[in-house]
């Protein structure tokens, strides 16, 4: 029976490459001269240290542009609330999301079943398995899912006949 998986994966090596490019750009940019702006990554979390709110916004723009340059969707970034640290400096944790959480998985299953396409959808951990009798139904499901407005980028992998 034909099937495919709906997943949300992020290539962490590309995230590291993007962060290294950002560090290099911070060292050379004139508006960051003499500032204490840094990026640190631990597992799935990136910690941004910035001198003030303006520098923090510039760091957000750098993250978005360098992630898209490395072909990583900027939608995987989940910005937490910024915290004040010593003086006027600001610290913020940005989580790199991977996998489909339960709420989004249930919503996707409900949307696909509501579309009346003849496929079965099952939640398997942090991914969805879609099976159907015809290959055309699966391709229609992929097109339908791409048309949905999701804040998390989805990939369609493991297509089998």
């Amino acid at each position: 029976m034909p099937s495919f998986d709906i997943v949300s994966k992020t290539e962490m090596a590309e995230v590291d490459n993007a962060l290294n490019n950002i560090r290099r750009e911070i060292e050379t940019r004139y508006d960051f001269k003499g500032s204490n702006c840094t990026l640190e990554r631990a597992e799935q979390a990136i910690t941004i240290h910035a001198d003030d709110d303006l520098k923090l916004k510039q760091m957000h723009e750098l993250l978005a542009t360098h992630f898209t340059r490395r072909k990583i969707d900027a939608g995987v970034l989940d910005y937490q609330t910024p915290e004040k640290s010593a003086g006027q400096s600001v610290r913020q944790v940005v989580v790199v999301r991977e996998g489909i959480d339960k709420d989004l998985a249930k919503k996707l299953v409900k949307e696909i079943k509501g579309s009346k396409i003849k496929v079965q959808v099952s939640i398997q951990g942090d991914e969805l398995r879609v099976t159907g009798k015809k290959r055309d139904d699966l391709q229609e499901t992929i097109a339908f899912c791409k048309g949905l407005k999701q804040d998390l980028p989805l990939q369609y992998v493991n297509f089998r006949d």
Side-chain angles (χ1 to χ4, degrees):
M1 209 155 160
S3 68
F4 72 92
D5 295 332
I6 301 174
V7 297
S8 178
K9 300 275 186 211
T10 305
E11 191 71 37
M12 294 313 279
E14 290 296 325
V15 170
D16 287 336
N17 291 338
L19 292 179
N20 289 334
N21 290 342
I22 292 170
R23 287 186 192 105
R24 225 174 287 122
E25 186 171 334
I26 287 172
E27 290 173 5
T28 58
R29 271 181 53 168
Y30 181 76
D31 55 345
F32 281 105
K33 282 259 194 279
S35 68
N36 188 19
C37 297
T38 58
L39 290 166
E40 300 166 3
R41 184 177 84 83
E43 298 298 319
Q44 300 295 102
I46 301 169
T47 306
I48 303 173
H49 297 280
D51 288 344
D52 52 26
D53 290 331
L54 178 67
K55 294 268 193 292
L56 184 67
K57 283 188 177 42
Q58 289 174 332
M59 298 280 275
H60 288 187
E61 291 173 12
L62 284 174
L63 272 173
T65 55
H66 282 276
F67 269 52
T68 51
R69 283 183 193 166
R70 302 300 302 185
K71 294 184 176 57
I72 303 171
D73 195 325
V76 300
L77 298 174
D78 184 20
Y79 296 97
Q80 308 297 319
T81 55
E83 310 164 348
K84 296 283 183 195
S85 56
Q88 229 185 346
S89 61
V90 182
R91 175 182 27 210
Q92 185 175 27
V93 176
V94 181
V95 178
V96 180
R97 296 185 289 180
E98 256 194 333
I100 302 173
D101 63 336
K102 294 284 184 199
D103 297 333
L104 181 60
K106 288 180 182 177
K107 181 182 170 197
L108 281 172
V109 169
K110 184 178 176 185
E111 292 283 336
I112 292 171
K113 288 190 179 196
S115 69
K116 303 293 186 204
I117 302 173
K118 295 180 180 178
V119 293
Q120 292 81 38
V121 185
S122 62
I123 300 172
Q124 295 182 338
D126 59 351
E127 60 185 46
L128 296 175
R129 168 75 44 95
V130 181
T131 57
K133 290 184 180 178
K134 291 191 222 165
R135 189 175 180 176
D136 293 340
D137 293 338
L138 297 181
Q139 291 171 340
E140 186 180 346
T141 304
I142 291 174
F144 176 76
C145 289
K146 284 182 179 179
L148 294 174
K149 298 290 182 221
Q150 301 297 328
D151 58 341
L152 186 66
L154 301 173
Q155 292 91 30
Y156 309 95
V157 296
N158 209 8
F159 197 98
R160 296 187 180 177
D161 262 338

